[in-house]
Amino acid sequence: MAKKITDMVSWVGKVDWELKHFHGDELSTTKGSSYNAYLIQDEKTVLIDTVWKPYDDEFVANLKKVIDLKKIDYIVMNHNEVDHSGALPELLREIPGTPIYCTKKGEAILRGHYHQDWNYVNVKTGDKLNIGKSTLTFIEAPMLHWPDTMFTYMDTDEILFSNDGFGQHYASESLYNDCVDEHDVMYEAEKYWTNIINPYAMMATRKVNEILKMNLPLKMICPSHGIIWKENPTKIIEKYLEWANAYQENQITIVYDTMWQSTRRMAEAIAKGIQEADPTVTVKIVNAVKDDKNDILTEMFQSKAVLVGSPTINYGYSYAIAGILEMAKGLKFKKKKAAAFGSYGWSGDAPKQITEALKGAGFEIVNDGIKKLWVPDEEALADCEAYGRDFAEAVK
């Protein structure tokens, strides 16, 4: 079903309430998502992006209810990952030969996905397409979050179509940010940044500053996932600049796995010591098995320091902790401090190995960590509390 945004622009995408995992199983999408496509009807008609492959028939059928497909003059593909380009083959069976405006990398990716010799028109930053009253300006945005990504700006309606940039995995039948829970949306936007955009923070900073220098009047930012930023749209731009600048809050996150609750008890004792030393700091304790991995990484992103704990298992650390550490390495967090802890029965190798993994992921190591033999007694727990106090002082 199409939804009018302005006199000339309609939302023609798909809301996916059922989506719970994305990028295979790499990203949790507990709030669902949407695949936002937009139809501009000026003197010329332009479709901006499509939807994911499972919904291609539905997308084309619904689009036919809005417009005679043969009246679509141009297709603009801001980014060509399959959640945006998946309906292109079905659509182009109906309207073969329709020009597809995309970056040079975008063409290469479309060819790599679909192996079709479609009518590609390559564009770069500053190129324009006049469609009547309006002019579309293309802005390359490589690595936000793929090398082919670009934004498209519509001058008359002052809309930036930003594809994955400024997006969130958030399903809603309401289109705009002022019609939904702001806290939920901003959390999903931060989670999206942490797990998808943060590895390219430097490039994001350059691109956002470049767009700001263009002094484009901006009434709306229309991403390809989640809600449209209509009320105070520059707020999300400001957040991107803040998140890109080695972001941290006054928070310490303790991530642990445990076999027989010994490492859990250490985590809680350390947290108690931290809070005693610094009552102003927010302490979060998360279980690497029971808590969502992407939410854990978002907590780590928010933190100024993290503690990672595991029992020693087969001369190493647990499977769940290994996954979190590997994902954290890929996300390239900056200016965060860390240390390790854990219980053990004989070899006690886990804290040392976790320390090395944290160092390899770019964390500044505070100390050698702490480990305790078997089940911690009152004396061992008191040591953990003292360790927590010392850690809090070290990261102030």
Side-chain angles (χ1 to χ4, degrees):
M1 180 180 70
K3 297 181 181 182
K4 276 282 189 182
I5 295 174
T6 68
D7 288 343
M8 287 189 285
V9 180
S10 298
W11 176 92
V12 290
K14 169 66 181 177
V15 179
D16 191 347
W17 290 94
E18 296 183 350
L19 189 74
K20 299 304 174 190
H21 299 281
F22 207 59
H23 291 161
D25 193 37
E26 286 296 292
L27 182 64
S28 62
T29 51
T30 54
K31 298 286 187 182
S33 193
S34 62
Y35 318 108
N36 301 335
Y38 303 94
L39 188 69
I40 303 174
Q41 293 173 281
D42 199 336
E43 292 172 23
K44 298 287 187 180
T45 298
V46 182
L47 177 68
I48 297 185
D49 298 323
T50 71
V51 302
W52 193 23
K53 166 69 177 171
Y55 303 105
D56 59 352
D57 291 344
E58 182 179 333
F59 172 75
V60 173
N62 286 336
L63 199 55
K64 285 179 179 178
K65 296 174 185 177
V66 180
I67 190 172
D68 178 352
L69 297 183
K70 292 182 173 58
K71 292 184 178 179
I72 297 175
D73 297 289
Y74 312 111
I75 299 169
V76 172
M77 291 303 305
N78 281 327
H79 166 45
N80 298 284
E81 197 171 0
V82 293
D83 51 320
H84 308 296
S85 66
L88 269 180
E90 183 67 20
L91 179 62
L92 289 171
R93 277 191 278 273
E94 300 269 357
I95 48 172
T98 305
I100 300 172
Y101 283 69
C102 60
T103 63
K104 187 175 180 181
K105 287 279 189 184
E107 176 183 345
I109 288 169
L110 286 172
R111 288 183 181 276
H113 280 323
Y114 305 111
H115 313 290
Q116 296 293 320
D117 191 23
W118 290 326
N119 183 10
Y120 303 102
V121 180
N122 292 163
V123 293
K124 58 185 183 302
T125 296
D127 287 350
K128 299 179 184 298
L129 176 63
N130 183 269
I131 57 173
K133 299 183 184 70
S134 309
T135 297
L136 303 181
T137 301
F138 304 110
I139 305 164
E140 293 171 281
M143 303 320 299
L144 282 168
H145 68 116
W146 273 24
D148 66 314
T149 300
M150 69 177 185
F151 299 163
T152 300
Y153 178 74
M154 180 182 179
D155 59 353
T156 49
D157 290 352
E158 300 178 358
I159 295 175
L160 182 68
F161 299 97
S162 61
N163 200 270
D164 281 336
F166 312 117
Q168 348 81 45
H169 285 302
Y170 187 87
S172 174
E173 291 300 322
S174 302
L175 284 177
Y176 307 114
N177 63 311
D178 58 347
C179 299
V180 295
D181 186 291
E182 181 181 16
H183 178 270
D184 283 353
V185 169
M186 288 308 298
Y187 176 77
E188 292 302 325
E190 184 175 2
K191 179 177 175 178
Y192 194 93
W193 168 278
T194 301
N195 288 277
I196 293 178
I197 308 293
N198 193 69
Y200 315 108
M202 288 180 61
M203 286 172 273
T205 300
R206 285 198 299 268
K207 184 52 58 178
V208 169
N209 283 326
E210 178 186 322
I211 291 170
L212 291 174
K213 286 178 183 176
M214 294 172 76
N215 292 315
L216 301 172
L218 201 57
K219 288 181 179 174
M220 277 186 275
I221 297 175
C222 292
S224 285
H225 293 299
I227 54 82
I228 292 168
W229 302 98
K230 184 179 182 182
E231 181 184 343
N232 188 16
T234 57
K235 179 178 182 179
I236 189 62
I237 295 177
E238 292 163 0
K239 274 294 181 185
Y240 262 47
L241 290 174
E242 187 180 352
W243 291 335
N245 188 26
Y247 183 74
Q248 57 180 240
E249 299 175 14
N250 186 27
Q251 176 174 320
I252 297 172
T253 297
I254 302 174
V255 185
Y256 76 94
D257 191 3
T258 194
M259 288 180 68
W260 300 112
Q261 308 308 313
S262 297
T263 305
R264 174 187 61 80
R265 294 184 68 193
M266 290 181 69
E268 292 171 354
I270 292 169
K272 182 180 177 183
I274 292 170
Q275 206 76 75
E276 287 172 354
D278 185 0
T280 69
V281 71
T282 298
V283 181
K284 299 282 185 76
I285 306 177
V286 291
N287 184 307
V289 173
K290 296 183 179 181
D291 291 290
D292 178 86
K293 61 184 183 298
N294 303 109
D295 289 330
I296 291 172
L297 291 162
T298 306
E299 295 290 357
M300 292 172 72
F301 172 71
Q302 291 176 346
S303 299
K304 63 182 180 181
V306 301
L307 285 148
V308 180
S310 170
T312 297
I313 304 170
N314 296 333
Y315 304 99
Y317 45 85
S318 78
Y319 175 87
I321 291 297
I324 290 294
L325 290 171
E326 184 61 26
M327 292 183 81
K329 180 180 179 181
L331 296 180
K332 299 185 184 302
F333 296 142
K334 297 287 190 296
K335 295 184 179 179
K336 297 187 186 298
K337 297 181 179 181
F341 67 97
S343 61
Y344 70 104
W346 46 97
S347 69
D349 297 323
K352 182 178 180 181
Q353 292 179 16
I354 290 170
T355 298
E356 289 304 309
L358 286 165
K359 191 183 300 181
F363 289 87
E364 179 187 337
I365 304 304
V366 173
N367 53 43
D368 292 336
I370 183 171
K371 61 183 180 180
K372 289 296 174 181
L373 182 64
W374 299 117
V375 177
D377 58 14
E378 290 304 314
E379 182 181 351
L381 292 175
D383 288 346
C384 290
E385 290 179 28
Y387 178 84
R389 291 192 291 273
D390 291 344
F391 186 85
E393 293 295 335
V395 302
K396 270 187 178 179

